[in-house]
Amino acid sequence: MIRNPILPGFNADPSICRVDDDYYIATSTFEWYPGVQIHHSRDLVNWTLVRRPLERAAQLDMRGNPDSCGVWAPCLSYADGLFWLVYTDVKRLDGNFKDAHNYIVTSPTIEGEWSDPIYVNSSGFDPSLFHDEDGRKWFVNMQWNHRTESYGGAPKHPAFDGILLQEWDAEARALKGPITNIFPGSPLGLVEAPHLFKRNGYYYLTTAEGGTGYNHAVTMARSRVIEGPYELHPDTHLITSKDAPDAVLQRSGHGQYVETPDGQFYHTHLCSRPLAPHRRSPLGRETGLQKCVWQDDWLYLAQGGVVPDVDVPAPADVETVTQPARIGYRFDGRTLPADFQWLRTPEPQRIFSLSDRPGHLRLTGRESIGSWFEQALVARRQEHHRFRAETAVETFDPDTYQQACGLTHYYNRHKFHALVVTLHEKLGRVVTIFSCPGDFPNSRMVFPAGSGVSIPDGPVELALDVRDNDLQFFWRPGGSNDWETIGPVLDAGVISDEGGRGEHASFTGAFVGMFAFDTSGRAQTADFSRFAYETIR
């Protein structure tokens, strides 16, 4: 069986592509660098992260991008001996405007180097590229109408002004011909995330609707000609949990169709697994996969209805590869372990090094935790509702309270908890807690452990346990076997999509990792010798 979600923990907006017996899924990475996650599978059951292709400044520079902006909704396809990746770099979230710029990059292989980007347009986000049977290529994206109040956290239907279609000239590397608005969406509204495919003489258009919260849905339509008009699916929606509040997979929508080599049919979708009692999703929007069937030239879920299943029949019998409960990371390679990312900047050498002190991750303190420009934060996704993370600060010698490093459970600049090593004027070197428990108007940082606890010179180890909605921090001197708790139990559930302003205000996922900052501007460094992530059963 396929066990959903197939890509747990912040893997949203899945675009699936099959080349012979290989499947690839590209997902959004928003403000996290490098851009776009691409996972690979040969059986639709076991998936491995193989590439983040947007890895240099010419392709992506997100310094200054607000939280939940950056890379939205990539589309991955294969044609003419090349992989094609289409993506948006969104420069604004709140307010009437989005400033969403769309680009195309290509590569002959997934694992190889990808081209510099070709700018396409900025009329809206969620772009997609369709390669027709006659060799023509078509670019689609939603159109953003700024003449409405559609702020983050409160999207309005008039801002989502239909799906635009225009031909792409691959030789000229530019759009050409008329721009056509081919689909206004269904009565559910908020139409976005278009994907086209062709079967039995019909052009099929799948879109996402309802906003990326609890009314999300995959909407389907078809037409005999690519320019439309498109007729809606008999059920309007192919996948949605909007009328099934007790379903395990909530917020289900935004996906893409794929066929197996032996003629079986599947559709990806994003989803979330909220925690009671507040229906908050710390793991963010994850990737699910549903088996489908064709009936009267319309696609339906194989299990019937529109609500996605957790367990789905796989194309063939295959053994599931299970991940170890505890993953230990050392920093003795030339590159970061694949699970880790950082924020926004295409100049990682300014914020971390694996060579300055071999065997250690050296973070160079720059701007404050939560900066939109240059902060030294290296982290991995939270993939479980219950987990433990540990790290060891081998060397850190602050000479002012403006220098700090530590371990953080992080969502964005307004939603994080951090266990901090810093300097106090009277206590000397201390371990304490910084906490920012929500978006505006509740974004003021608080200090649940007060001035903190004096700690000896030398290495110090830091840990946190998250158990659903509860977070507890721990610390111990290097070499000690006994962990000491610090501070009260904190609200881990606020480190989620719905924390703070609510379900539409932010839509990435929780991370856990190491950070350093130095707001004095003197770039104090901190050396970390290890990191561990462990599932709590």
Side-chain angles (χ1 to χ4, degrees):
M1 301 293 284
I2 295 168
R3 181 75 175 179
N4 283 309
I6 55 171
L7 303 181
F10 178 30
N11 278 284
D13 311 325
S15 171
I16 192 166
C17 170
R18 179 179 67 84
V19 180
D20 298 325
D21 294 325
D22 294 292
Y23 300 91
Y24 301 94
I25 289 179
T27 57
S28 300
T29 43
F30 293 84
E31 65 264 37
W32 291 90
Y33 213 96
V36 179
Q37 296 219 121
I38 300 179
H39 285 80
H40 169 258
S41 176
R42 292 182 66 88
D43 53 32
L44 297 180
V45 175
N46 300 293
W47 294 86
T48 303
L49 177 66
V50 292
R51 194 72 168 95
R52 294 191 186 101
L54 307 180
E55 59 185 350
R56 58 186 186 273
Q59 297 170 320
L60 186 65
D61 187 344
M62 298 183 290
R63 286 173 288 192
N65 284 21
D67 296 323
S68 288
C69 288
V71 177
W72 286 17
C75 173
L76 182 66
S77 59
Y78 184 81
D80 309 324
L82 291 173
F83 287 95
W84 302 70
L85 183 67
V86 186
Y87 64 97
T88 309
D89 180 7
V90 179
K91 297 298 186 182
R92 180 171 177 175
L93 181 66
D94 288 344
N96 291 65
F97 295 97
K98 276 291 180 283
D99 297 319
H101 310 306
N102 296 318
Y103 302 92
I104 295 174
V105 293
T106 60
S107 175
T109 64
I110 289 287
E111 296 82 2
E113 184 172 307
W114 288 67
S115 69
D116 284 347
I118 304 167
Y119 171 75
V120 183
N121 65 15
S122 301
S123 55
F125 48 84
D126 292 1
S128 180
L129 187 65
F130 170 62
H131 310 271
D132 208 344
E133 296 168 342
D134 60 4
R136 298 172 76 182
K137 301 182 188 300
W138 298 89
F139 194 88
V140 286
N141 60 269
M142 66 81 66
Q143 179 171 228
W144 180 261
N145 187 343
H146 59 266
R147 299 172 300 177
T148 180
E149 295 181 358
S150 196
Y151 306 117
K156 300 295 190 297
H157 174 56
F160 293 71
D161 197 16
I163 302 302
L164 299 185
L165 172 81
Q166 192 174 9
E167 189 170 0
W168 173 255
D169 188 327
E171 291 188 6
R173 306 206 308 176
L175 294 169
K176 68 179 183 181
I179 303 171
T180 307
N181 195 321
I182 61 172
F183 185 62
S186 80
L188 182 59
L190 304 174
V191 63
E192 56 186 336
H195 287 290
L196 283 164
F197 67 94
K198 193 174 185 181
R199 186 178 188 273
N200 288 351
Y202 282 105
Y203 291 93
Y204 289 90
L205 177 67
T206 57
T207 65
E209 290 193 295
T212 192
Y214 288 92
N215 285 326
H216 213 30
V218 173
T219 300
M220 193 172 198
R222 73 182 184 188
S223 173
R224 288 291 188 183
V225 293
I226 196 167
E227 296 88 353
Y230 283 80
E231 61 174 318
L232 282 169
H233 191 285
D235 296 334
T236 304
H237 309 302
L238 174 64
I239 302 170
T240 185
S241 304
K242 68 184 182 65
D243 300 315
D246 296 327
V248 173
L249 303 179
Q250 290 292 314
R251 303 168 65 195
S252 300
H254 195 141
Q256 192 174 18
Y257 170 79
V258 70
E259 294 188 17
T260 68
D262 61 352
Q264 300 182 66
F265 318 108
Y266 290 84
H267 204 287
T268 62
H269 63 98
L270 63 75
C271 57
S272 79
R273 293 175 288 166
L275 288 171
H278 304 297
R279 295 193 91 196
R280 298 183 300 196
S281 306
L283 306 183
R285 299 174 305 152
E286 307 172 282
T287 287
L289 184 66
Q290 300 297 315
K291 188 173 178 61
C292 299
V293 294
W294 284 99
Q295 183 177 338
D296 299 326
D297 283 323
W298 285 110
L299 198 64
Y300 295 87
L301 294 185
Q303 70 266 25
V306 296
V307 180
D309 273 354
V310 173
D311 292 312
V312 173
D317 290 337
V318 63
E319 183 177 351
T320 302
V321 178
T322 58
Q323 297 296 321
R326 182 180 175 90
I327 304 175
Y329 301 93
R330 296 287 180 178
F331 303 110
D332 49 8
R334 297 171 60 186
T335 59
L336 279 176
D339 291 337
F340 288 86
Q341 289 180 274
W342 61 93
L343 286 164
R344 293 182 176 85
T345 178
E347 298 182 0
Q349 70 277 7
R350 295 250 320 150
I351 60 172
F352 70 83
S353 170
L354 293 162
S355 59
D356 285 354
R357 186 179 178 186
H360 295 76
L361 173 66
R362 171 165 289 178
L363 297 184
T364 300
R366 300 293 182 186
E367 294 175 332
S368 62
I369 186 169
S371 167
W372 284 353
F373 290 86
E374 190 176 53
Q375 63 161 309
L377 191 160
V378 172
R380 57 149 292 162
R381 283 160 175 73
Q382 177 184 344
E383 295 181 353
H384 306 85
H385 286 131
R386 297 186 172 198
F387 75 97
R388 180 179 177 87
E390 299 176 4
T391 192
V393 180
E394 192 72 18
T395 305
F396 183 62
D397 299 309
D399 58 30
T400 170
Y401 62 83
Q402 292 182 312
Q403 298 168 343
C405 76
L407 174 69
T408 183
H409 189 213
Y410 185 91
Y411 188 97
N412 62 25
R413 69 171 181 163
H414 299 306
K415 294 187 283 192
F416 65 84
H417 304 304
L419 185 57
V420 182
V421 179
T422 187
L423 189 77
H424 186 270
E425 300 92 319
K426 296 180 180 179
L427 300 176
R429 200 170 74 137
V430 297
V431 60
T432 188
I433 297 173
F434 296 170
S435 177
C436 199
D439 295 307
F440 288 117
N442 302 310
S443 60
R444 180 175 296 176
M445 196 162 70
V446 296
F447 306 93
S451 298
V453 178
S454 294
I455 59 174
D457 292 336
V460 59
E461 297 183 75
L462 311 174
L464 63 82
D465 281 358
V466 168
R467 298 174 185 265
D468 299 327
N469 292 304
D470 296 333
L471 180 149
Q472 179 67 65
F473 281 119
F474 305 86
W475 76 279
R476 67 185 181 187
S480 172
N481 293 321
D482 300 320
W483 289 100
E484 299 183 34
T485 62
I486 180 171
V489 173
L490 301 175
D491 183 1
V494 78
I495 315 300
S496 67
D497 290 358
E498 299 88 349
R501 290 192 302 174
E503 64 188 87
H504 291 106
S506 53
F507 26 80
T508 55
F511 280 69
V512 61
M514 301 150 285
F515 73 94
F517 66 79
D518 185 350
T519 56
S520 76
R522 289 181 283 131
Q524 178 66 273
T525 61
D527 294 336
F528 294 80
S529 59
R530 68 178 183 89
F531 189 89
Y533 179 96
E534 182 176 4
T535 307
I536 298 176
R537 303 298 182 186

